[in-house]
Amino acid sequence: MAKKLFGTDGIRGTANKWPMTAENALQIGAAAGRYFRNDGSNGHRVVIGKDTRLSGYMFENALTAGLTSTGMNVLLLGPIPTPAVGLLTTSMRADVGIMISASHNPHHDNGIKFFGPDGFKLSDAAEAEIEALIAGDILPVQPNNIGRAKRIDDGRFRYAERLKSTFPHGMRLDGLKVVIDCANGAAHRVAPEVLWELGAEVIPVGVSPNGFNINEGCGSTNTRAAAETIVAHGAHVGICLDGDADRIMIIDEKGVVADGDQIMALFATRWAAQGRLAHDTLVATVMSNLGLENFLESKGLHLKRTAVGDRHVVSEMRSGGYNLGGEQSGHIVMTDYGTTGDGLAAGLQFLAAMIETGAPASALARNFDTVPQMLKNVRFNDGQDPLGAASVKSAITAAETAVQGRGRILIRKSGTEPLIRVMAECDDDGLLTQVVDGIVAEISAVTAA
């Protein structure tokens, strides 16, 4: 069946509007319970984590009600990063893990992500089966089979210990002054704690969540505050996470931002030199810069591209036996250490490189020259299909012809928001602007009609 609820990263939308309503969350929980409690026993578990959005309380309670009504036992982790949910799903022997978060989106959005018992995000097939159950009648269990709910108070400490184990044994961060921007999100406590315990002088930013300020003027999608803090305090490096801490941006000692492509380039070359990069291959999406691809080829390494979304990256990594992948947006997936993007784990790997090489962040975060790239978003309304319009198709074809041999065009719908993303790369800045603006103008005309 065609998926209606699930997008590229679970279910997401504006809180108190379909599909992110309390009523729908209860049905989603009940459907997930029916799907995973498939033998009728009462020994099945689900762990639930969340970020710091106000609506997280509502969805946590609604999901718990639905899950327990179908006999699932619920373990509530409270505010905790998304990668911690993947980890704790396996370590606590749960049948399913759920993260309540809209990642880098503003506070008024929220989402529901599912992890299977192996700690990896659910497959499309499993999501489709759960969606089919939601569309039908979900029978509750008999009163004596109702599930229990329990709060787990040490989830973040378990995650913190796992994070520290990914850092080279015996290495410390003594003498490093690190700015950590937690986006007023899920890592606002665990990230500063881990860095401090490893010996760093920690300067925290975005660690005062109030339910409304997640990702607001801070975090991986708004790095200005962290950059200014680095320069003001003379810090050696900055680590910027997003709301659920599965993304990272690195900021060097000069306040300059390095995105996921630059971070992956560093890790790929270092791991290859150490004999750790599986099949000498990095997995990234179609959004990664051509400069990254050219750089890897110059080092005798390979780049495999996937559709946008860390779940597609992870799927390719698992099927091909690769251990490093990610996205330009900052998801860095290291399957040696975890099952999904982990911003803080990636940050620790970057800090380890600084210690091992003695090089400043600016030297490690500039691995290749990027091909000029431009990305613009055009919002559209429900029911519209701007990409199906003849005028838009014509504009895209003309743009592809114009940059042939000099770059590329990528047009796609966002999987998490009602946006058309228009991305192009070209070695000619003027031509780049011309083709992107031309496509955006045609799409905007269609959406406004």
Side-chain angles (χ1 to χ4, degrees):
M1 60 176 286
K3 295 200 300 183
K4 297 178 182 178
L5 286 174
F6 288 91
T8 57
D9 196 15
I11 302 167
R12 191 176 298 188
T14 302
N16 272 346
K17 292 184 179 180
W18 193 91
M20 292 305 299
T21 64
E23 295 83 357
N24 204 37
L26 189 149
Q27 285 292 100
I28 293 166
R34 274 297 174 201
Y35 179 80
F36 286 98
R37 186 179 176 269
N38 49 25
D39 61 2
S41 76
N42 261 41
H44 294 278
R45 294 177 175 178
V46 53
V47 298
I48 299 180
K50 63 180 180 179
D51 63 24
T52 56
R53 296 163 209 270
L54 181 64
S55 61
Y57 292 97
M58 176 176 73
F59 293 119
E60 181 184 59
N61 288 327
L63 286 165
T64 298
L67 288 158
T68 54
S69 76
T70 48
M72 294 289 284
N73 297 309
V74 178
L75 305 175
L76 298 166
L77 304 174
I80 199 165
T82 286
V85 174
L87 167 70
L88 294 171
T89 299
T90 55
S91 71
M92 300 186 76
R93 309 300 192 270
D95 298 88
V96 58
I98 298 176
M99 179 65 182
I100 303 168
S101 175
S103 189
H104 60 286
N105 286 26
H107 77 87
H108 50 70
D109 290 341
N110 217 327
I112 300 170
K113 308 177 188 181
F114 285 93
F115 292 84
D118 57 2
F120 289 94
K121 290 180 181 178
L122 285 188
S123 66
D124 289 346
E127 289 181 347
E129 289 188 50
I130 291 173
E131 190 153 331
L133 289 170
I134 295 170
D137 293 326
I138 306 171
L139 295 176
V141 296
Q142 295 298 314
N144 59 323
N145 286 328
I146 292 172
R148 300 174 182 270
K150 178 181 179 180
R151 291 217 167 263
I152 304 298
D153 295 324
D154 65 347
R156 90 168 189 273
F157 302 111
R158 300 189 194 197
Y159 173 60
E161 289 306 307
R162 172 56 178 165
L163 277 173
K164 288 187 290 183
S165 75
T166 69
F167 199 65
H169 182 70
M171 182 180 290
R172 292 183 57 85
L173 296 175
D174 295 351
L176 271 189
K177 187 181 293 188
V178 181
V179 170
I180 177 71
D181 184 344
C182 300
N184 291 315
H188 73 281
R189 297 181 69 181
V190 69
E193 288 170 350
V194 166
L195 293 171
W196 177 80
E197 289 173 13
L198 289 173
E201 179 182 344
V202 181
I203 304 169
V205 174
V207 292
S208 302
N210 60 17
F212 301 102
N213 60 358
I214 188 169
N215 300 312
E216 186 178 88
C218 56
S220 64
T221 54
N222 195 328
T223 57
R224 181 176 177 179
E228 291 176 348
T229 302
I230 289 169
V231 174
H233 288 263
H236 297 97
V237 65
I239 297 172
C240 292
L241 308 174
D242 68 339
D244 65 337
D246 64 354
R247 295 191 189 197
I248 182 176
M249 292 286 162
I250 293 290
I251 308 180
D252 69 21
E253 72 279 6
K254 302 173 185 177
V256 179
V257 180
D259 65 13
D261 283 350
Q262 295 286 355
I263 298 168
M264 290 189 290
L266 172 69
F267 292 179
T269 51
R270 284 179 55 80
W271 287 20
Q274 297 164 1
R276 296 176 53 200
L277 184 64
H279 307 296
D280 286 334
T281 297
L282 171 70
V283 181
T285 75
V286 292
M287 295 295 288
S288 279
N289 194 274
L290 277 174
L292 172 62
E293 188 169 349
N294 297 337
F295 171 77
L296 292 174
E297 289 179 355
S298 74
K299 301 294 183 181
L301 305 178
H302 313 292
L303 177 68
K304 289 191 74 73
R305 291 187 184 268
T306 73
V308 174
D310 66 311
R311 64 183 295 128
H312 298 298
V313 171
V314 173
S315 177
E316 180 65 31
M317 292 173 68
R318 297 181 73 187
S319 64
Y322 309 116
N323 63 345
L324 179 63
E327 296 188 277
Q328 184 186 64
S329 59
H331 287 115
I332 309 294
V333 184
M334 302 171 290
T335 51
D336 292 349
Y337 304 133
T339 58
T340 188
D342 191 329
L344 190 51
L348 291 180
Q349 290 295 303
F350 190 92
L351 295 177
M354 291 180 66
I355 297 294
E356 290 170 350
T357 63
S362 55
L364 297 176
R366 298 289 171 273
N367 297 282
F368 63 89
D369 293 327
T370 58
V371 174
Q373 185 182 83
M374 182 176 291
L375 171 65
K376 291 191 176 183
N377 298 319
V378 185
R379 189 167 293 273
F380 64 94
N381 299 317
D382 289 341
Q384 288 185 321
D385 180 23
L387 298 183
S391 60
V392 173
K393 291 180 178 179
S394 178
I396 294 172
T397 300
E400 289 173 337
T401 301
V403 302
Q404 190 171 8
R406 307 181 65 181
R408 63 192 181 112
I409 305 287
L410 178 65
I411 315 294
R412 67 179 186 89
K413 287 184 179 179
S414 168
T416 58
E417 300 175 84
L419 299 174
I420 303 293
R421 303 198 189 278
V422 180
M423 191 275 279
E425 291 174 332
C426 183
D427 57 13
D428 183 322
D429 286 327
L431 180 57
L432 177 66
T433 301
Q434 176 186 325
V435 296
V436 170
D437 287 348
I439 295 171
V440 168
E442 291 297 338
I443 295 174
S444 298
V446 171
T447 59

